[in-house]
Amino acid sequence: MEYRIKEIAERIHALREILDIPVETMAEATGTTPEEYRQMEAGETDFSFTFLYHVADTLGVDLTEIVTGVAPRLSFYTVVRKNQGLPIQRREGFSYLHMAHLFKNRLSEPFIVTAPYREEDQNKPIRLSVHEGQEFDLILKGSLKVVMENHVEVLHEGDAIYYDSGHGHGMIATGGEDCVFLAVVMKKED
């Protein structure tokens, strides 16, 4: 995992340098301090999916390019077989399988997400993320505790939530088991 973090960090650094974007601009875009950003870009600390999403958006490249170093090429359709999405391991054990990583100029980022159940997280405040656009989450297995700023919802298999992801949102698996859900992150309209 650490090697992969270093590879991603090197791509981010190289793209930022090529585009001549100041660290301060990237820090603001990713919701970090310049020092935190420098540490992430140097591969010294791990980064969240939200961080990667903001980096790709700010650098004007596809998320797949940041994660893999390869640009998507398909423009008609793509098929991703069960468990064959592009794996992205981020955010304290959450795992993401990108289900359309080979399709270029996507209007959304679809993922199968596995949120690990952790007893120690059940009574802690849930860390909130913010990013432009909208999101749709459909629970496929288990239960998910979702915090939408000051609102708390518990979703079970078959339940869904659609929201403006420009508002604070966060989630953890609840109910004693991991939660698997489809998350579709829709980009902000230009």
Side-chain angles (χ1 to χ4, degrees), residues 3-184:
Y3 176 72
R4 189 136 186 237
I5 292 168
K6 290 279 191 194
E7 280 186 338
I8 294 169
E10 287 172 8
R11 280 192 284 277
I12 293 168
H13 176 77
L15 283 168
R16 183 185 62 75
E17 291 276 315
I18 289 167
L19 296 170
D20 197 28
I21 299 174
V23 165
E24 293 74 19
T25 301
M26 293 300 293
E28 184 178 334
T30 58
T32 60
T33 67
E35 182 56 32
E36 290 169 333
Y37 179 83
R38 281 186 190 92
Q39 289 175 342
M40 289 184 219
E41 189 180 88
E44 295 169 5
T45 58
D46 202 352
F47 22 72
S48 67
F49 166 76
T50 302
F51 175 84
L52 292 174
Y53 185 82
H54 287 303
V55 164
D57 185 52
T58 304
L59 296 175
V61 297
D62 191 282
L63 178 65
T64 302
E65 289 181 75
I66 295 292
V67 176
T68 68
V70 178
R73 290 182 165 68
L74 301 175
S75 60
F76 178 38
Y77 75 93
T78 182
V79 173
V80 177
R81 301 290 179 200
K82 183 177 182 178
N83 298 323
Q84 297 300 306
L86 173 67
I88 302 173
Q89 302 289 333
R90 291 285 158 274
R91 198 185 146 213
E92 304 166 14
F94 274 56
S95 66
Y96 298 77
L97 279 178
H98 198 301
M99 302 307 289
H101 63 283
L102 298 174
F103 197 88
K104 66 181 179 179
N105 302 320
R106 291 183 302 277
L107 300 178
S108 66
E109 303 288 348
F111 299 93
I112 299 293
V113 182
T114 301
Y117 176 81
R118 295 172 157 182
E119 185 63 39
E120 64 270 17
D121 291 345
Q122 299 307 302
N123 295 310
K124 289 182 184 175
I126 297 174
R127 193 180 98 223
L128 303 182
S129 297
V130 174
H131 53 87
E132 291 183 342
Q134 298 175 349
E135 189 165 333
F136 170 78
D137 298 333
L138 171 66
I139 309 307
L140 303 174
K141 177 181 170 247
S143 298
L144 194 68
K145 182 178 182 181
V146 180
V147 175
M148 306 298 294
E149 292 181 347
N150 297 322
H151 305 277
V152 178
E153 301 286 345
V154 176
L155 305 175
H156 305 285
E157 188 174 319
D159 292 344
I161 186 169
Y162 188 100
Y163 53 93
D164 177 343
S165 48
H167 292 275
H169 59 282
M171 53 208 59
I172 61 168
T174 194
E177 66 178 331
D178 293 354
C179 180
V180 179
F181 61 100
L182 170 67
V184 181

